[in-house]
Structures are given as C-alpha cells and as structure tokens.
Amino acid sequence: MGAAADNAAPRQGEAERGRGRAPAPAPEAREVKVVVEEPPPAAVARLQAQRALPPLQVTTQAAPTPMTVASGGVDQPPPLANYQPVMQTPPPPLASLNSRVYTNQISLCLFLLHLAAAGLAVGFFVYRAVKDIVENPRSHNARREQSLLRKWLPPVEGAVALSIVLAFAWQKAVRAWPRAMVRVILWSGFGVTLAVGSLLMCFSMPATVGLGVAMVVFSIGTGLYACWVTRRVGFTARVFEKAVQPVDKFRGLNGPAYLMVAAGFVWISVWCVAVIGAVNFPFPGLTILALVVSLAWTAEVMRNVANLTASRVIALYYLRGMQSSVQFSFQRALSYNLGSACLGSLFVPTIEALRILARGLNLLEGEDEFMFSCAHCCLNVMNAVFEYGNSWAFVHIAAYGRGFVQASRSTWLQFERLPGMPALADADITSSVCFLTGVTSGALCVALAGSWTFVTHKHYTATVSLMAFYVGYLMTRIGMALPQACVGCYYVCYAENPGSRLFDKTIPDRLGKMQEDVVAPTPRFPHQHVGAA
C-alpha cells in the first residue's frame, strides 16, 4: 500500500499542473536509501507478457537546443555550419621488391640468340684450328695456326692472367684506402699510359709507333682531366669511403664478381683460340671484328650482372634495412633482370661516350660559331637521352625489377625532386675513376705482353699489344663492378630517402656548397642552373 501511495503522488501532481494549478513546493532534500531486490524470473516473464515493449524506432530530428546557464545547464559550443569530416589518406604502398616479371624481354632474346651464335662460331673456329693441326700438320694453314698458337697465344693469356690479378688488386685497394686511391687512380692513368706509349714508340715499328702515339695522346688528355676535376677529388674520395662501408656487412658479396671474372677468363681463353681459327676463314677481318664486338657485349653483361647483384643487396640495406641474400640477388640478376643488363650494356657505354663528347664541345662555347652550335646541339641530345638511359638505372632495376628505360627515368626523377641533386649526380667522377682503372690495367698488360712478344716474335708485337690492352681493360671493369655499384646505391638511395640515419652530411654539405656557388659547375649545369637548384 505504501508503494501504491508513493506512485499515486506524482500522478496527482502532474494532473494538477495540467489543470493550471501551481505545483506544490518541493520537499526538503533528504537522504533516501534505495534497496533494489531482483524479482524472481517467473514474475519478470509475467510482466513482459502483460506489457510488451514496442520496437525501437530511429527518427531524424534537429538537435535539441542546448541548455543555458540560467536553466541549470552548461553552454555547448555552436555546431559548425559546414562541417566536413577529415579523411586521412593512407600512405602510398611500398614498391614491390620481388617482381617476377622478366624485364626487357626483347633485349634478353637478342642477347641469348647472340650468345648462342657466338658459342657456335667460337666452337666452329676452335674445331677448325684443331682439325687443321691434327689432320694436316704440314699444310700452310696448319703451320700458320701452329705459329700463332706458339707466338701469339701465350702473351695474350699472360695478359689475361695479369688483368685478373690487377682487377682484384684495384678492388681491394679501393675498399681498403678509398680516399687515397681516387688520386692514385687518376694520376696512375696518366703516368702508366704515358710510359707504356713511350715504350711502344721505342720499339721503332710503324704499327707499334702508331699505338704508342695514341696512348701518349690519351695520357695527355687524362692528365688534363685530372687537373680539371681536382676540386671534386676530395668529395669523390669521401663518397667512396662511405659507399663501400656496407660491403663488410654482407658475407660473400664479392662472390658474383669473382665468378664473373672466372667465367670471363674461360671465355676469353677459348675466344683467343677461335680468333686463330678465324684467320684462315674467308673475310678474316670482318669475322674477327664481329668476334671482338661480341666479346665486348658479353663482358659488359657480365660486369652488369655483378653490378645488379651488389646493387640489390646494398640498396635494400639502405632503403629497408634488410639483410638480403647474395645468392638470391645473383639468381635474380641472371634471370628476371638479365634483359635490363643486356640493354644497359649496349646503351650505357654509348651514352657515356656521347656525354664526354658533349662536355668537351661545350667547353669550346663562344670561340667559334660552328663549334658553338655543335656544342649546344650535342648537349641537348645528351640531356634528352641521358634521362632515359643512364648508369644510375641499375639500382632501381635491381631493387624494384624495373626495365632499363623505366628505371633510368625513375632515378633521374628522384634526383630532380631534390634541389641540386641532378647537378651533383652529373658531376660525379666515380665512373671515370673506374674507367681509368681499366685503362691502367690494360696499359700494364700491354707492357707485359708487348715486351714479351717483342723479344720472342717481333712482328706480332702490335697485334698482341692491342689484344692485351683490350682483354685487360674488360677484365678489370668486371672486377670493379662492386665499388661502382656501391657508389650508385649511395646516390640513388639518398635521393629516395634523404632522412635515413644511414647517411651522414656528405651529400647535404656538398649540395649547400653548390648552391652557394663555391663548387665549380659542370658544362651541362652552368652557374645559373646550379644556383637555381
């Protein structure tokens, strides 16, 4: 009864308010203790059956007016009239590192066809030389081939063996003393070629004198180049020092380069015998020229395979902090990325030669109207071609599995996003340093093979000297693929992630000096472009 009376009291008060009567004064506040007892389940079931609750309905209506301070509420901030929810865009996904697509498949097919044809030709010429010597040892062709084997082949093989030693020695020296070796390589290229050229001229034969004059002229150009890049030597030495540091973190990273050098030694040895067999073939000049071009492309592909292997390992270390497998990277370089290596092996040397020519002509600007127009023409061609085919592309080929042209474009676009980076990359002389190691090794091989041949069989001196220089240069470039790949990764990975803790202030400080016009620009980027960068 007490509970019913309490329930009736509020209803009566509401009825009185509905008839307009004044509400009763509020009772004084008093402490009320409420004890809640859970009813039995049977009672709850009867209550739900008697009073069924309607389903929940959702209606749209205007927001209620906020209560004011006078009515006992708290002021609420007014709603925004044009409220737009902020959508946070997710960061772009990282590029895939395990692409299973064969890049530049046309170039890959052409190289494999060329390799098959070269293998058949070399095998045929070797078989022909051996057959003539075995079956008809007294014939004119057999006697001539025997003479070549005794007089021509041993000095060339000695030059190949010396080039292997020099290749590994250069690589080890660059890794051990990077700061000192930049200056040593620049000036040894000048001194060694000058000395060997003078030696060939002292042999006093028309062919050797011609080769000697060519080497002396080249040495003079090398000396002038060493004087021109004196201001860049210190920075290049620091870049070499920082770039080769991660090599010690990866065991066996030299393995692919050693394997390619060994494969090159075997191929060149068989190739030399094939050249002897091609001497008695119709059109021997064209045949030997085709063999020389084939050897150049094959050796360049070997070098770029070693380059791609080292580039993938070092690039993933810089970009993702990954400890990549050298064996897996080598397998990718020989399979999925081999087409890009073949295409790059064809175009990068040509583009680099065009680059050197354009810079040389651009230095003559203003002296002659014809040369002035040629300099600008070559410079514009080089600028257009270089962005779609450059040696920096091997980093993105190895890391992301891109084609040669796409990788060239993507790396150069990354350089362009960072102020001053294109001029810095264009002024890099590490590729020239690696090139001069090959030239120096080739000249030393000429000194060995030329002197040997001059003492034993004088009339073969020029031919053996030329061949020794060629194979010495190629073998050394294969061995120097590792430090060149490290430098390429250092530049490209910095441009992609400048804030990485793996990079120091070497590149930022250089960029600051270039913007202050403290550093002399290259012909491709005159002062106004460097300052704008």
Side-chain angles (χ1 to χ4, degrees), residues 26 74 119 123 152 180 195 203 212 216 252 353 373 375 423 514:
V74 180
W152 187 81
F203 290 157
V216 169
S373 61
M514 292 178 66

Side-chain angles (χ1 to χ4, degrees), residues 421-433:
M421 198 65 192
L424 180 63
D426 195 76
D428 174 67
I429 63 172
T430 54
S431 59
S432 300
V433 171

Side-chain angles (χ1 to χ4, degrees), residues 106-122 267 271 290-301 342 346:
I106 297 178
S107 301
L108 177 60
C109 293
L110 290 177
F111 177 74
L112 293 178
L113 290 175
H114 144 265
L115 195 61
L120 291 175
V122 169
W267 180 250
W271 181 86
L291 290 175
V292 169
V293 174
S294 173
L295 177 62
W297 192 15
T298 305
E300 192 70 13
V301 171
C342 299
L346 279 177

Side-chain angles (χ1 to χ4, degrees), residues 221-247:
T222 303
L224 294 176
Y225 177 78
C227 296
W228 183 45
V229 299
T230 301
R231 296 186 178 181
R232 307 182 209 169
V233 170
F235 173 73
T236 304
R238 291 193 298 272
V239 168
F240 258 122
E241 183 181 21
K242 297 298 181 181
V244 299
Q245 286 180 355
V247 175

Side-chain angles (χ1 to χ4, degrees), residues 458-473:
K458 185 180 298 185
H459 56 283
Y460 285 113
T461 302
T463 305
V464 170
S465 299
L466 188 60
M467 189 58 61
F469 179 86
Y470 184 63
V471 298
Y473 169 81

